[in-house]
């Protein structure tokens, strides 16, 4: 196949597929080929095809000459290896990293000091056998609610993949390691979140019921800047259909589904780093969310901080 054909089917050209194989080969390849062990390259191809298309195991197996059971084992083995061996989801901490991200976000709509945009997205999964009701999301299907932070280049810098679909975004953030980090650490910058989050000194939200031209301009700039996280989710789901309902649902337990989701998000970052062409972004893949608004109440110093930023748009 040509690289164009490989990208269409596996989302990566030949050299990048081989890079993934090299990164995880020692974790997925058996020492010998006894019992017809599947080579590392074939395991990676099978998994990339499943991530890309979300096809039935039988179709993926037929394409690559292996059984449905082998497809399942390959996907989980490769997913675990990617999560373990590819370390490319890191929140920026150095001055140089933060400065680059702030500049990138500022160039979008002139909102200052932004170091990330945070949001949640729903990933459909098969109905679990335990605690089934808590996985039913606001849209009526079983899912995981995935929290992510992205930088200005649609690259994921933080990921939380463990909460059931019924969990609210604000609760998820407050009970994540990132939420604890911001509560306990003085960080030079803030995140942008939608009205489903509470206003914090490190998390700027839109102004509910804006009553002045400056507040309306601030809300527009906030939305234009924050939409980068929705676009990142859309690009990731367009590239890897196993995460979207058009690819069915992840046929694993919630714990295993979280491993697959994390692996796919890391592959998304690799595609961004390698500057691979973005897939056509389909509107329905962009998760704009419909969480209930959180009451716009915060300490006076936090309200003052947001007001100072709003006045920049007066």
């Amino acid at each position: 196949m040509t690289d164009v054909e490989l990208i269409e089917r596996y989302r990566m050209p030949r050299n990048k597929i081989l890079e993934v194989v090299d990164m995880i080969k020692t974790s997925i390849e058996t020492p010998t080929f006894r019992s017809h062990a599947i080579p590392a390259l074939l395991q990676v191809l099978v998994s990339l095809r499943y991530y890309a298309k979300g096809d039935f195991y039988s179709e993926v197996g037929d394409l690559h000459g292996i059984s449905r059971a082998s497809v399942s084992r390959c996907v989980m083995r490769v997913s675990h290896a990617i999560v373990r061996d590819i370390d490319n989801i890191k929140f920026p901490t150095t001055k140089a990293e933060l400065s680059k991200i702030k500049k990138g976000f500022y160039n979008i709509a002139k909102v200052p000091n932004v170091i990330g945009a945070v949001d949640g997205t729903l990933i459909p999964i098969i109905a679990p056998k335990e605690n089934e009701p808590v996985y039913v999301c606001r849209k009526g299907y079983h899912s995981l609610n995935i929290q992510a932070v992205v930088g200005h280049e649609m690259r994921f810098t933080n990921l939380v993949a463990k909460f059931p679909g019924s969990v609210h975004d604000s609760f998820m953030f407050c009970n994540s390691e990132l939420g604890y980090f911001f509560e306990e650490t003085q960080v030079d910058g803030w995140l942008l979140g939608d009205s489903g989050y509470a206003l914090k000194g490190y998390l700027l939200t839109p102004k509910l019921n804006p009553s002045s031209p400056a507040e309306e301009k601030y809300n527009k700039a906030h939305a234009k800047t924050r939409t980068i996280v929705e676009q990142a989710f859309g690009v990731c789901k367009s590239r890897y259909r196993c995460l979207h309902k058009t690819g069915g649902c992840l046929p694993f337990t919630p714990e295993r589904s979280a491993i697959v989701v994390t692996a796919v998000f890391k592959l998304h970052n690799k595609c961004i780093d390698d500057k691979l062409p973005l897939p056509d972004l389909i509107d329905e893949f962009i998760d704009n969310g419909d969480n209930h608004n959180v009451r716009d109440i915060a300490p006076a110093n936090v309200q003052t901080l947001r007001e100072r930023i709003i006045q920049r748009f007066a």
Side-chain angles (χ1 to χ4, degrees):
M1 293 183 184
T2 66
D3 278 344
V4 172
E5 292 171 328
L6 286 169
I7 290 174
E8 180 182 347
R9 291 163 174 79
Y10 299 96
R11 302 306 190 238
M12 290 182 174
R14 178 173 280 97
N15 63 323
K16 299 305 176 182
I17 292 173
L18 293 175
E19 281 184 12
V20 173
V21 174
D22 288 340
M23 288 175 174
I24 66 174
K25 185 174 182 178
T26 57
S27 296
I28 64 175
E29 195 167 64
T30 56
T32 70
F33 286 97
R34 293 179 61 186
S35 302
H36 305 286
I38 301 174
L41 175 59
L42 184 54
Q43 292 187 55
V44 170
L45 287 173
V46 166
S47 301
L48 290 179
R49 174 70 185 200
Y50 173 74
Y51 299 150
K53 301 294 186 178
D55 293 336
F56 292 109
Y57 281 165
S58 56
E59 294 184 11
V60 178
D62 289 346
L63 284 170
H64 298 88
I66 62 175
S67 68
R68 290 178 56 190
S70 294
V71 172
S72 179
R73 287 192 292 269
C74 285
V75 170
M76 287 312 308
R77 188 180 299 124
V78 169
S79 297
H80 276 285
I82 290 173
V83 172
R84 181 172 55 248
D85 297 338
I86 300 180
D87 186 19
N88 65 358
I89 298 181
K90 295 181 178 180
F91 195 77
T93 55
T94 69
K95 187 175 182 179
E97 290 172 334
L98 294 172
S99 178
K100 179 182 177 181
I101 290 177
K102 289 178 185 179
K103 183 177 180 180
F105 274 116
Y106 183 80
N107 289 338
I108 296 174
K110 310 304 182 187
V111 181
N113 228 30
V114 178
I115 57 176
V118 62
D119 203 1
T121 190
L122 298 169
I123 306 297
I125 64 172
I126 196 169
K129 295 180 180 179
E130 298 181 5
N131 301 319
E132 178 268 337
V134 302
Y135 288 92
V136 178
C137 68
R138 62 185 183 272
K139 297 183 179 180
Y141 56 84
H142 298 90
S143 67
L144 293 177
N145 195 3
I146 306 300
Q147 174 186 288
V149 178
V150 301
H152 62 289
E153 297 175 317
M154 289 195 293
R155 194 179 185 285
F156 295 108
T157 59
N158 184 264
L159 179 68
V160 179
K162 63 180 181 180
F163 287 97
S166 64
V167 173
H168 192 279
D169 288 355
S170 183
F171 176 89
M172 189 161 52
F173 180 81
C174 291
N175 290 274
S176 67
E177 289 187 10
L178 187 67
Y180 298 144
F181 170 78
F182 273 97
E183 284 287 342
E184 299 172 359
T185 308
Q186 188 70 32
V187 182
D188 181 20
W190 42 69
L191 303 175
L192 295 186
D194 63 19
S195 54
Y197 293 92
L199 175 64
K200 303 279 188 180
Y202 51 79
L203 203 166
L204 290 183
T205 60
K207 182 75 174 181
L208 296 182
N209 305 314
S211 58
S212 70
E215 290 179 351
E216 291 178 356
K217 289 180 181 178
Y218 162 78
N219 276 5
K220 289 180 180 178
H222 185 286
K224 185 177 180 180
T225 307
R226 195 195 61 81
T227 194
I228 196 75
V229 65
E230 296 168 356
Q231 293 173 349
F233 286 141
V235 166
C236 191
K237 291 181 179 182
S238 296
R239 180 176 272 139
Y240 296 112
R241 297 292 180 93
C242 71
L243 300 184
H244 192 262
K245 58 187 177 182
T246 55
C249 66
L250 294 177
F252 312 106
T253 64
E255 294 75 18
R256 289 191 167 194
S257 295
I259 294 293
V260 173
V261 170
T262 304
V264 169
F265 274 56
K266 289 191 171 189
L267 289 175
H268 165 90
N269 273 7
K270 178 167 173 51
C271 290
I272 296 293
D273 293 341
D274 294 336
K275 295 180 171 53
L276 297 183
L278 297 177
D280 293 332
L281 189 55
I282 303 172
D283 287 342
E284 67 173 295
F285 282 27
I286 300 178
D287 188 352
N288 294 312
D290 56 0
N291 279 325
H292 298 296
N293 293 340
V294 173
R295 295 180 65 189
D296 204 2
I297 297 175
N301 63 319
V302 177
Q303 293 281 3
T304 300
L305 169 64
R306 186 171 65 176
E307 287 302 320
R308 287 209 316 267
I309 299 171
I310 289 173
Q311 290 311 307
R312 296 171 66 100
F313 297 90

